[in-house]
């Protein structure tokens, strides 16, 4: 037999037998290998890739979306207009019954969490809940910190629609929504390939049709203008075949 059988195996060779090469963290090679590996914390993968957002990136997008949505809703409320989805229903409830917009928005959203939990997964549901709760708080306290002067109705409708479009785009791209129609729109886009913006537009026009009972017809028409700007922007810019990150 060969003498190699009885030869003690050096520690460096033992470390590499049947395993990935061992890198001493004290060497330059070891430091380079360690730096190239994803950073994983106890609560998930914090390493960004072309198809993966980190929790910090998600948080930034959610906060940005809430701020932009608050500004858009504030402009619409200042002008007496309506907006899309559950936010539109919340404004209708505010005009009809005098309830706080933020409170109405949060309560009306509650049933839609069941769809999110059953069909969209826990991460989507939790992020959506946080976004809805945050927006409810922001819209409730907004009048104490930000007010508007004179705004031309057409300009206000277009600006508010685009602000809300940007807000939803930021949230949709990070697998979050503002509840209600947004949850349904994302679900149908994922399952059937329907454009989220076009789905929301159909829902919005139905909701805005109800507004004729509580809002003057000219304000409803301006609200429709805002909804078209919102959903047209969203339909063009939010496509799953162009943006694949999750």
């Amino acid at each position: 037999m060969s003498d190699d059988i009885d030869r003690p195996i050096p520690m460096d060779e033992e470390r590499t037998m049947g395993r990935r090469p061992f890198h001493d963290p004290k060497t330059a090679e070891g430091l380079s290998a360690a730096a190239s590996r994803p950073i994983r914390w106890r609560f998930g993968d914090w390493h960004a890739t072309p198809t993966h957002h980190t929790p910090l990136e998600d948080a930034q997008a959610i906060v940005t979306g809430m701020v932009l949505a608050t500004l858009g809703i504030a402009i619409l409320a200042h002008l007496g207009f309506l907006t899309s989805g559950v936010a539109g229903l919340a404004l209708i409830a505010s005009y009809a019954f005098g309830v706080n917009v933020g409170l109405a928005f949060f309560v009306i959203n509650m049933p839609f969490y069941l769809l999110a939990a059953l069909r969209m997964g826990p991460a989507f549901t939790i992020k959506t809940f946080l976004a809805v709760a945050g927006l409810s708080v922001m819209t409730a306290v907004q009048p104490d910190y930000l007010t508007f002067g004179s705004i031309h109705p057409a300009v206000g409708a277009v600006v508010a629609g685009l602000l809300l479009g940007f807000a939803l785009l930021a949230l949709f791209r990070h697998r979050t929504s503002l509840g209600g129609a947004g949850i349904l729109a994302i679900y149908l886009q994922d399952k059937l390939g329907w454009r989220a913006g076009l789905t929301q537009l159909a829902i919005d026009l139905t909701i805005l049709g109800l507004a004729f009972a509580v809002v003057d017809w000219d304000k409803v028409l301006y609200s429709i203008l805002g909804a078209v700007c919102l959903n047209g922007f969203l339909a063009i810019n939010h496509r799953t075949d162009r943006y694949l990150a999750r």
Side-chain angles (χ1 to χ4, degrees):
M1 291 187 180
S2 171
D3 293 338
D4 290 341
I5 295 178
D6 298 325
R7 177 178 62 85
I9 301 176
M11 183 176 297
D12 289 342
E13 290 185 26
E14 183 180 9
R15 288 170 174 165
T16 61
M17 291 179 64
R19 308 178 186 178
R20 294 180 178 178
F22 174 80
H23 297 283
D24 186 349
K26 296 181 181 180
T27 66
E29 181 183 3
L31 290 173
S32 176
S36 66
R37 290 194 296 269
I39 301 175
R40 296 181 182 275
W41 300 92
R42 181 176 298 178
F43 299 106
D45 187 358
W46 285 62
H47 180 71
T49 69
T51 58
H52 172 74
H53 294 122
T54 68
L56 184 60
E57 291 171 339
D58 285 341
Q60 182 271 338
I62 291 172
V63 172
T64 300
M66 289 190 299
V67 171
L68 293 176
T70 299
L71 291 175
I73 292 173
I75 293 174
L76 295 174
H78 174 75
L79 294 170
F81 297 166
L82 298 167
T83 186
S84 61
V86 171
L89 289 176
L91 285 171
I92 291 176
S94 174
Y95 298 147
F97 306 109
V99 299
N100 183 273
V101 176
L103 177 61
F105 179 74
F106 184 82
V107 172
I108 296 172
N109 259 302
M110 295 301 291
F112 291 96
Y113 292 132
L114 180 62
L115 173 63
L118 294 177
R119 298 296 183 182
M120 306 302 291
F124 178 90
T125 305
I126 292 172
K127 288 188 291 184
T128 295
F129 180 85
L130 293 175
V132 171
L135 181 62
S136 299
V137 172
M138 287 185 180
T139 54
V141 303
Q142 167 267 317
D144 297 329
Y145 296 94
L146 180 66
T147 57
F148 299 96
S150 176
I151 304 177
H152 189 279
V155 173
V158 171
V159 171
L162 292 177
L163 283 171
L164 288 165
F166 272 106
L168 290 176
L169 180 66
L171 295 171
F172 284 2
R173 286 188 169 182
H174 288 259
R175 301 299 293 170
T176 312
S177 78
L178 291 178
I183 295 175
L184 181 60
I186 293 178
Y187 172 72
L188 292 176
Q189 179 165 289
D190 287 346
K191 296 299 181 181
L192 303 178
W194 295 3
R195 294 280 188 87
L198 297 179
T199 301
Q200 282 210 158
L201 180 59
I203 297 172
D204 293 347
L205 293 178
T206 302
I207 292 173
L208 291 174
L210 300 175
F212 282 105
V214 295
V215 180
D216 295 336
W217 68 269
D218 58 330
K219 292 185 176 181
V220 176
L221 293 180
Y222 281 123
S223 301
I224 293 174
L225 173 62
V228 171
C229 291
L230 187 166
N231 292 292
F233 174 86
L234 202 59
I236 293 172
N237 290 282
H238 182 61
R239 289 175 49 178
T240 54
D241 58 338
R242 285 181 176 173
Y243 195 82
L244 304 177
R246 299 282 176 151

